[in-house]
Amino acid sequence: MTKTPLKQGEFYQRDRRWHPPAYDKDYKTSVARSPKLSLISLENTPSEIAGPRFGHGDLTAHDNDLLSNYAQPDQSPIGERIIVHGRVLDENARPVPNTLVEIWQANASGRYRHKKDTYLGSIDPNFGGCGRTMTDENGYYYFRTVKPGAYPWRNWVNDWRPAHIHVSVFGSGFAQRLITQLYFEGDPLVKTCPIVATIPDPEAIEQLIAKLDMNATIPLDTIAYKFDIVLRGRRSTLFENRLEGN
Amino acid sequence: MPQSLEYLKETPSQTAGPYVHIGLAPGAAGFQIYDQELGQDIAGPNAKGERIRVEGLVIDGTGSPVKDVLLEVWQANAEGIYPHPEHAGHDTVEEGFRGWGRVITNFETGAWAFDTVKPGALMGRNGEMMAPHINLWIVARGINVGLNTRLYFEDEAEANATDPIINVIEWEKRRETLIAKRSERDGQTVYRFDIRLQGDDETVFFDI
């Protein structure tokens, strides 16, 4: 798709049938936390088109390296060493540059470093479980971490979350704000998970499954998974929308 | 060959889960990892305008406070300007005014609060003025797609009456759910804004 010199307008409307519905009886926590009345649809104003900006001054160099950002000197966390990398794009397939990507996850034994997590899995003294980075000018980002473990959670009696990494992305406008979860190719727990299953369309679920990427794997060192993220695209205004009101 | 539309689909949302703090507010999860956590100071030291505190609860369909929620705040400065390169006048925004912040609840009570400055009115679409407002985005375990709402101010009744967003809400009774109540406490202006996810007086949430 070619670049246009035309002024950028509103974001494309969010496809609410592609996203999970607020209410899903099989994800029990959603039952009392889901609005019952319809969302009120708004045409974008500057409040939605603008959004917070971040710079490299907000981060430090190793914030995206979960193998080292909480480890003692000369130590590293236990677990399968992985690279998670990809691009942040918009629905027009254009890269989203200089945007903040944040992740958090359980350690290799399925335990979170959180005062509210009491699972039997061990805390790893060398693993914090969070990282953050900015996409480069091509929308590219990467993290180093360990592959998280599966863990049980209270929903039905015997529910287990597939290995996953939580991902938070901004984009350029507040309307693009997104939190999602990354799953791993080949994990049999993906098919059993009520949280995954809140997404109605199997093709949409496929979008959350990171692919093993042997070409980006570092031999004798770290296995790579590729995960592209797509944020809402923007209209190119053929006609003046008078967003600023002038 | 048939014509094709080469658009991508937006990545679908998933719940932020109960441990959202690890990623977005690790100090609250119980550990220090970053030199500087993001979203701790919305207005910064140089912002002009009235200093205010906003506080409230997020309440679920059983009437109970939600204790593991995270809110993000996004607002203009007192002049009604966002610190964003596409917003006219953005180069006049005070240094250190980010207009954005993160707010977490007390894990025992569900109470949350943030300090900022009261935003100014700003132009919306088609030359219509929008009343001063703060945009909120709410994520938590059990919330599958982050919820967007707006906080308006009780003492801006005149501006609220003509606000194009408030007026898009067909049910006048529901408009009240977006109005924060003003009071004074120890010389400080406090606005109360409870968010009801479900049930009687369910807060208006927007598909933006």
Side-chain angles (χ1 to χ4, degrees):
Chain A
M1 183 161 291
T2 53
K3 280 188 181 170
T4 167
L6 296 171
K7 185 179 167 185
Q8 296 262 291
E10 302 92 335
F11 291 97
Y12 301 143
Q13 82 169 17
R14 190 162 249 165
D15 183 351
R16 292 278 170 179
R17 288 176 293 195
W18 189 252
H19 287 280
Y23 170 87
D24 186 321
K25 68 176 173 48
D26 293 331
Y27 176 26
K28 294 184 182 181
T29 314
S30 76
V31 171
R33 294 184 171 194
S34 44
K36 288 280 186 287
L37 299 172
S38 301
L39 303 179
I40 306 286
S41 293
L42 289 191
E43 292 178 288
N44 287 175
T45 75
S47 297
E48 291 77 36
I49 288 178
R53 311 289 279 187
F54 302 93
H56 290 281
D58 290 321
L59 279 58
T60 45
H62 297 290
D63 285 355
N64 68 336
D65 185 10
L66 286 70
L67 294 183
S68 70
N69 71 3
Y70 199 75
Q72 301 298 311
D74 303 321
Q75 296 190 36
S76 62
I78 303 246
E80 189 177 333
R81 296 159 58 86
I82 64 168
I83 290 165
V84 171
H85 76 128
R87 287 194 301 162
V88 180
L89 305 167
D90 69 14
E91 289 170 295
N92 298 315
R94 294 189 186 106
V96 181
N98 305 315
T99 200
L100 180 65
V101 181
E102 296 162 290
I103 64 168
W104 67 100
Q105 63 170 92
N107 67 23
S109 68
R111 175 79 182 266
Y112 284 96
R113 184 175 289 279
H114 191 291
K115 57 172 107 166
K116 296 299 220 184
D117 188 5
T118 56
Y119 175 47
L120 294 171
S122 307
I123 286 283
D124 184 332
N126 293 307
F127 192 69
C130 60
R132 56 189 188 180
T133 192
M134 303 280 294
T135 58
D136 71 11
E137 66 277 14
N138 300 312
Y140 182 75
Y141 76 92
Y142 71 95
F143 292 94
R144 280 205 316 174
T145 185
V146 294
K147 193 170 179 184
Y151 60 84
W153 61 296
R154 291 179 185 279
N155 188 61
W156 295 318
V157 167
N158 190 23
D159 272 323
W160 292 73
R161 292 304 324 279
H164 64 278
I165 298 176
H166 297 267
V167 182
S168 163
V169 198
F170 279 81
S172 63
F174 205 52
Q176 289 176 296
R177 192 77 181 86
L178 181 73
I179 284 179
T180 190
Q181 298 183 30
L182 170 163
Y183 304 100
F184 292 89
E185 181 178 12
D187 186 340
L189 288 170
V190 170
K191 281 196 173 60
T192 72
C193 177
I195 289 178
V196 175
T198 59
I199 299 172
D201 189 325
E203 275 189 54
I205 292 172
E206 283 298 320
Q207 219 176 337
L208 298 185
I209 299 177
K211 288 278 187 289
L212 175 65
D213 184 350
M214 289 306 287
N215 288 345
T217 289
I218 302 171
L220 307 177
D221 188 320
T222 309
I223 293 178
Y225 286 87
K226 181 156 183 287
F227 189 69
D228 287 338
I229 300 159
V230 181
L231 302 179
R232 291 167 71 181
R234 280 179 80 173
R235 193 180 299 282
S236 298
T237 49
L238 298 170
F239 302 98
E240 183 56 64
N241 277 342
R242 294 163 51 102
L243 264 175
E244 305 292 340
N246 44 25
Chain B
M1 202 173 99
Q3 298 282 338
S4 71
L5 291 170
E6 294 176 342
Y7 296 113
L8 303 178
K9 293 296 287 183
E10 187 188 10
T11 298
S13 173
Q14 290 269 265
T15 178
Y19 305 125
V20 60
H21 318 91
I22 294 173
L24 308 188
F31 65 108
Q32 298 300 325
I33 184 164
Y34 297 135
D35 289 352
Q36 180 198 348
E37 286 194 18
L38 296 173
Q40 305 292 301
D41 189 355
I42 298 165
N46 304 313
K48 298 183 223 73
E50 185 185 8
R51 294 275 161 178
I52 62 172
R53 167 163 285 207
V54 179
E55 61 184 29
L57 293 170
V58 177
I59 299 162
D60 74 13
T62 75
S64 309
V66 180
K67 298 174 183 175
D68 51 12
V69 74
L70 182 141
L71 298 95
E72 286 192 4
V73 174
W74 171 237
Q75 65 164 88
N77 72 359
E79 303 293 322
I81 300 171
Y82 285 101
H84 187 277
E86 290 180 63
H87 204 212
H90 68 91
D91 48 359
T92 68
V93 170
E94 302 90 337
E95 188 183 349
F97 181 89
R98 186 150 239 166
W100 171 84
R102 285 180 168 149
V103 185
I104 58 155
T105 52
N106 179 302
F107 291 160
E108 310 304 321
T109 65
W112 54 264
F114 62 88
D115 296 313
T116 186
V117 295
K118 191 175 168 190
L122 71 148
M123 200 76 86
R125 299 172 66 87
N126 306 318
E128 294 177 315
M129 285 302 285
M130 297 193 287
H133 64 277
I134 296 177
N135 309 283
L136 296 172
W137 188 64
I138 302 146
V139 295
R141 180 171 68 104
I143 295 177
N144 290 327
V145 186
L147 295 168
N148 290 99
T149 189
R150 285 186 178 197
L151 176 160
Y152 287 86
F153 298 90
E154 180 182 33
D155 51 314
E156 297 283 349
E158 198 176 323
N160 292 342
T162 57
D163 178 86
I165 306 305
I166 292 178
N167 279 288
V168 109
I169 303 164
E170 178 184 346
W171 308 275
E172 289 183 26
K173 173 175 181 277
R174 296 202 67 206
R175 299 175 186 175
E176 288 300 314
T177 67
L178 302 185
I179 311 295
K181 299 285 183 285
R182 181 178 175 117
S183 65
E184 306 283 329
R185 188 192 308 145
D186 304 329
Q188 158 126 54
T189 302
V190 178
Y191 286 95
R192 177 82 191 183
F193 191 69
D194 290 333
I195 297 165
R196 291 181 171 77
L197 297 178
Q198 188 186 96
D200 290 344
D201 301 322
E202 180 181 304
T203 297
V204 169
F205 297 105
F206 294 108
D207 187 9
I208 64 171

